C-alpha cells in the first residue's frame, strides 16, 4: 500500500470443512454456534482491515466447498455478504471460483453451479460487487472464442469480472508466454473485465 499498490482480501469464507479455520470446525455439531462463529469471523477480519483492502473475496469456491451451505442453508451466503458490507463498507465484495475459464469451452456442472449461485445471491439482494474467475491454467488451455463466450455468460450479471490467481502451468515456456499474451488481449477486449490478478 505504501507503494501505491492495491491489496485484495482473500478469503473471508471458504465454506468446506477442509478449509475452515480450526476454531470454526469446533462448532461442526452445533449449527447455531457455527453460523454465529462464521459471521463473527467476517465481522472481525473485515473490521480489522477496513479501508486497507480494495476487494474482499467473501465466498470462495462454493462448488467444491459447500459443507456450510449444506448444514446452514443457502441463505447463509447472503448473510455473509451483508456482514462483509457492514464490516468494510468501502471494499468491493466478490464471489470467487475456479475452473470457470479453464478447461476449454462449453458447459460444465461447475460453471452451471457458479451461474446459479451468482443468480441466487443477486436475486436475494446480496451486495455482490464483482465476480472472481480464478485463472489456473494447465494443459487444457481455453481458446479466445470460448473465453469470450464465458465472459459473456458471466458478464450478463452486470458486475465487474476479475481474473484472480492467474497462472499457466505448462512445461513449454514459449506456449505459456503466447497463451498469456492472447489471454490478456482477449480478457481486456471484453467490456466486463476490470482486472487480472
Amino acid at each position: 500500500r505504501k507503494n501505491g499498490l492495491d491489496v485484495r482480501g482473500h478469503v473471508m469464507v471458504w465454506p468446506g470443512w477442509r478449509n475452515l479455520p480450526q476454531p470454526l470446525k469446533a462448532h461442526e455439531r452445533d449449527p447455531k454456534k457455527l453460523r454465529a462463529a462464521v459471521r463473527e469471523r467476517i465481522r472481525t477480519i473485515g473490521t480489522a482491515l477496513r479501508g486497507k483492502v480494495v476487494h474482499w473475496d467473501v465466498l470462495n469456491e462454493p462448488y467444491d466447498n459447500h459443507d456450510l451451505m449444506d448444514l446452514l442453508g443457502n441463505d447463509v451466503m447472503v448473510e455473509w455478504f451483508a456482514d462483509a458490507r457492514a464490516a468494510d463498507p468501502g471494499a468491493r465484495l466478490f464471489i470467487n471460483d475456479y475452473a470457470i475459464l479453464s478447461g476449454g469451452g462449453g458447459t460444465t456442472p461447475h460453471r452451471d453451479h457458479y451461474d446459479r449461485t451468482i443468480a441466487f445471491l443477486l436475486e436475494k439482494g446480496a451486495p455482490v460487487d464483482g465476480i472472481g474467475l480464478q485463472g489456473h491454467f494447465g494443459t487444457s488451455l481455453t481458446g479466445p472464442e470460448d473465453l469470450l463466450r464465458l465472459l459473456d455468460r458471466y458478464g450478463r450479471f452486470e458486475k465487474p469480472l476479475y481474473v484472480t490467481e492467474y497462472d499457466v502451468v505448462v512445461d513449454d515456456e514459449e506456449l505459456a508466454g503466447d497463451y498469456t499474451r492472447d489471454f490478456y488481449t482477449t480478457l481486456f477486449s471484453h467490456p466486463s473485465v476490470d482486472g487480472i490478478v
Side-chain angles (χ1 to χ4, degrees):
R1 289 175 54 239
K2 289 178 183 175
N3 290 297
L5 299 175
D6 291 334
V7 178
R8 293 188 90 243
H10 175 84
V11 57
M12 286 186 161
V13 184
W14 201 349
W17 293 125
R18 70 179 180 260
N19 295 309
L20 284 180
Q22 198 59 41
L24 298 181
K25 291 179 185 179
H27 302 298
E28 180 177 359
R29 298 188 191 281
D30 189 335
K32 186 174 181 181
K33 284 185 180 177
L34 178 62
R35 174 184 233 122
V38 173
R39 296 185 74 188
E40 181 58 28
R41 173 181 162 74
I42 293 168
R43 288 189 286 266
T44 299
I45 63 175
T47 301
L49 295 171
R50 180 182 294 156
K52 296 178 181 173
V53 298
V54 294
H55 298 169
W56 269 112
D57 287 331
V58 176
L59 174 59
N60 195 52
E61 300 181 359
Y63 179 73
D64 283 340
N65 295 270
H66 49 80
D67 296 314
L68 295 188
M69 287 81 87
D70 293 346
L71 185 62
L72 304 174
N74 285 336
D75 285 340
V76 74
M77 295 184 292
V78 179
E79 293 175 5
W80 297 338
F81 275 89
D83 290 338
R85 172 66 82 231
D88 192 354
R92 293 167 76 185
L93 307 180
F94 282 73
I95 184 171
N96 190 51
D97 211 339
Y98 76 98
I100 305 303
L101 296 178
S102 60
T107 294
T108 66
H110 200 142
R111 290 174 180 150
D112 292 344
H113 179 271
Y114 201 43
D115 196 286
R116 287 191 308 271
T117 302
I118 295 164
F120 172 83
L121 287 167
L122 295 175
E123 287 166 12
K124 293 283 188 167
V128 177
D129 298 318
I131 298 169
L133 308 165
Q134 290 181 28
H136 300 297
F137 290 88
T139 56
S140 181
L141 301 174
T142 308
E145 296 84 4
D146 289 322
L147 286 170
L148 289 171
R149 280 191 282 275
L150 291 165
L151 295 171
D152 285 344
R153 178 177 184 175
Y154 296 97
R156 81 181 196 288
F157 290 113
E158 298 181 355
K159 300 292 179 183
L161 304 178
Y162 273 75
V163 175
T164 61
E165 307 175 43
Y166 179 72
D167 56 28
V168 180
V169 182
V170 295
D171 292 334
D172 184 335
E173 285 188 25
E174 186 175 351
L175 173 62
D178 289 345
Y179 187 75
T180 297
R181 178 201 60 224
D182 295 345
F183 182 82
Y184 272 58
T185 302
T186 302
L187 271 284
F188 282 122
S189 77
H190 197 281
S192 295
V193 175
D194 272 10
I196 300 174
V197 180

